Amino acid sequence: MGEIGDNVPQMPLARDLALWQRKTRLKPEDIDTEVKLDLRSDAGLMKSTLLHRLVLINVPWGKLIDAEAGRGTFREVWKLRWAPELSVTLAEALIHGVTIEQAAGNATRERAKVSTSITALADLIRAALVADLSDAATACIEQLQAAAIRASDITDLMRAVAPLVRVLRYGTARKLPEEALRALILSMSVEVNAGVRTGSHGLDQETAEARVQAMLAYDEALGLFGDESLSDAWRTQLGRMVEDDQVAASVAGLSLRRLHDLKSWQMATAAFSRHMSGQEPQKSGAFLEGFLSGGSEVILQDQPLLQLMDAWICELAEQDFVESLPLLRRSLSSFDSVSRRRLLEKIRHAKRPESAYEPALEGEENPAFLEALPLLYQILGIEPGGHA
């Protein structure tokens, strides 16, 4: 594509970008180029800052394909390609400012002013921080604080907490408004804890599924945040949701699972039995799916729970059983091939007609188990005699 000489008049943003390109030694080429950046070095940090700022003004010269900063390291991998049309979008960004830094900061603030989404504002805060735009990040934090006060969607609040906690927990190579971030996370988490139980009443299936996923992320984020009072309040709400019959079944299922994992629910088996037995199959199935969404391996480790699940399946009427099959298959989808085989063996041994004193002979099988085996293969996603 060639280069433009220093004496050729250019619009301000193009001129500033050319300066950045010389400083970072990044050439605008119309070919795919992979660049690995170490953000602990000045050169790597400068390149990353430029690319993140360009994304904010809709000039995606680089596409971030791997970032480990959120996992405690400082490495980014970008795929670069300068397409001619990016020059047009760069010219359009001039309405935001005459330098890359100014334009990116103003564009971020303007986007925050018109946004009503808690999650979108949280993403803008993270984007501003990794682009080294601390003033813009502070403005977005103020917008998010105001929006959180008016927010009624608990799922949206939960989704926003997780990325902010990761930024605060692992940090970035840039300066963080740490005190403001911590205060924001604290206030949002208090709102979540206060409203999550009543906000989980009467949810439809799609909304309940979104809530379960948001709860998983929020629960992990609270562990990283490390505020014991918040964590204690969250565990209290989990217990209340297990006991509240108006709470969506899948939400109650995940609540019990987290308490079971934390060893903070003494009657987990009794609560599991209450939600699974004597309920409509659709409701008890949704409870089971929520419970297993925290990791299906629990039924490999907790024999009483596996027996309760087995009893529930055996008690289903034929039509209810058929309708429950897709849900069962989905609930067990996180099992890897080894875990599926282990589960099959557990079921096999549980169904053998043996006494406590007379182990079954090698190769002896229960005819009922053999008859059900093809269906078990289908539920577990296992090829007969093969692998999952």
Side-chain angles (χ1 to χ4, degrees):
M1 295 178 62
E3 296 181 358
I4 299 175
D6 294 337
N7 60 337
V8 177
Q10 292 178 274
M11 70 164 188
L13 274 181
R15 185 165 55 248
D16 189 50
L17 178 57
L19 291 173
W20 272 96
Q21 288 167 341
R22 281 197 288 270
K23 286 190 295 184
T24 58
R25 297 183 180 179
L26 291 175
K27 293 184 178 181
E29 299 176 310
D30 193 13
I31 58 172
D32 287 332
T33 306
E34 188 176 289
V35 177
K36 297 180 181 179
L37 304 179
D38 184 347
L39 305 187
R40 295 168 297 185
S41 69
D42 291 340
L45 184 58
M46 188 181 300
K47 291 175 183 177
S48 174
T49 298
L50 170 62
L51 295 171
H52 279 294
R53 287 177 178 177
L54 288 173
V55 169
L56 286 171
I57 58 174
N58 197 30
V59 183
W61 180 13
K63 179 181 179 182
L64 188 61
I65 58 177
D66 187 26
E68 296 183 354
R71 301 192 288 272
T73 62
F74 297 93
R75 174 179 170 270
E76 289 179 349
V77 180
W78 292 79
K79 181 179 286 185
L80 304 186
R81 186 186 187 96
W82 184 268
E85 57 267 24
L86 294 181
S87 297
V88 177
T89 54
L90 183 66
E92 293 171 346
L94 191 58
I95 61 172
H96 300 301
V98 296
T99 67
I100 302 296
E101 180 178 3
Q102 185 184 73
N106 289 337
T108 303
R109 291 187 192 90
E110 290 168 19
R111 207 172 300 160
K113 286 179 183 178
V114 300
S115 178
T116 57
S117 167
I118 300 291
T119 308
L121 286 167
D123 288 339
L124 281 175
I125 292 171
R126 184 201 56 77
L129 289 172
V130 297
D132 198 17
L133 300 168
S134 57
D135 290 343
T138 300
C140 292
I141 288 173
E142 293 172 357
Q143 289 288 122
L144 182 49
Q145 285 173 326
I149 294 173
R150 303 187 299 268
S152 58
D153 188 345
I154 297 297
T155 297
D156 214 14
L157 279 173
M158 286 181 173
R159 286 173 175 158
V161 168
L164 297 179
V165 168
R166 283 196 296 271
V167 169
L168 185 65
R169 172 69 173 81
Y170 294 120
T172 71
R174 291 85 173 176
K175 183 180 178 181
L176 287 176
E178 188 170 327
E179 187 175 340
L181 262 182
R182 181 168 288 277
L184 175 61
I185 293 167
L186 182 63
S187 64
M188 291 172 63
S189 299
V190 168
E191 291 290 328
V192 168
N193 290 349
V196 66
R197 182 180 65 83
T198 55
S200 297
H201 287 174
L203 302 181
D204 59 38
Q205 182 180 351
E206 183 178 353
T207 307
E209 288 174 358
R211 176 64 56 83
V212 165
Q213 294 306 312
M215 284 174 64
L216 286 167
Y218 176 73
D219 184 83
E220 180 184 4
L222 281 190
L224 291 174
F225 191 55
D227 187 301
E228 281 303 315
S229 62
L230 280 180
S231 296
D232 289 343
W234 174 240
R235 285 191 286 269
T236 298
Q237 292 305 318
L238 291 176
R240 289 175 177 171
M241 287 192 286
V242 172
E243 293 295 310
D244 190 339
D245 291 336
Q246 297 183 66
V247 167
S250 56
V251 172
L254 177 60
S255 299
L256 181 62
R257 173 57 188 276
R258 288 303 300 130
L259 291 170
H260 177 274
D261 290 345
L262 294 167
K263 312 297 183 187
S264 60
W265 187 262
Q266 300 302 319
M267 302 296 291
T269 302
F272 187 89
S273 178
R274 180 172 67 84
H275 280 277
M276 292 294 294
S277 302
Q279 302 287 343
E280 294 179 2
Q282 187 176 5
K283 186 174 181 179
S284 53
F287 176 85
L288 177 63
E289 185 175 17
F291 186 85
L292 296 180
S293 65
S296 303
E297 71 283 347
V298 65
I299 59 175
L300 290 174
Q301 309 298 330
D302 196 321
Q303 188 67 25
L305 288 181
L306 178 59
Q307 290 171 346
L308 285 170
M309 180 178 166
D310 180 53
W312 170 72
I313 294 173
C314 292
E315 291 169 2
L316 290 174
E318 182 177 354
Q319 184 60 35
D320 292 334
F321 176 72
V322 172
E323 292 177 359
S324 299
L325 284 177
L327 186 146
L328 283 168
R329 179 74 181 270
R330 189 166 66 241
S331 298
L332 300 174
S333 62
S334 64
F335 268 50
D336 59 24
S337 59
V338 174
S339 297
R340 294 179 188 189
R341 287 289 176 186
R342 286 178 59 201
L343 178 58
L344 189 63
E345 286 303 311
K346 274 185 168 289
I347 297 171
R348 184 197 305 272
H349 289 297
K351 295 297 183 185
R352 278 179 178 165
E354 59 192 45
S355 72
Y357 305 101
E358 291 185 32
L361 296 175
E362 185 68 28
E364 184 179 338
E365 295 287 2
N366 185 339
F369 174 79
L370 292 176
E371 186 175 350
L373 194 56
L375 185 57
L376 283 170
Y377 281 138
Q378 185 177 350
I379 294 173
L380 294 173
I382 298 176
E383 291 293 333
H387 301 285

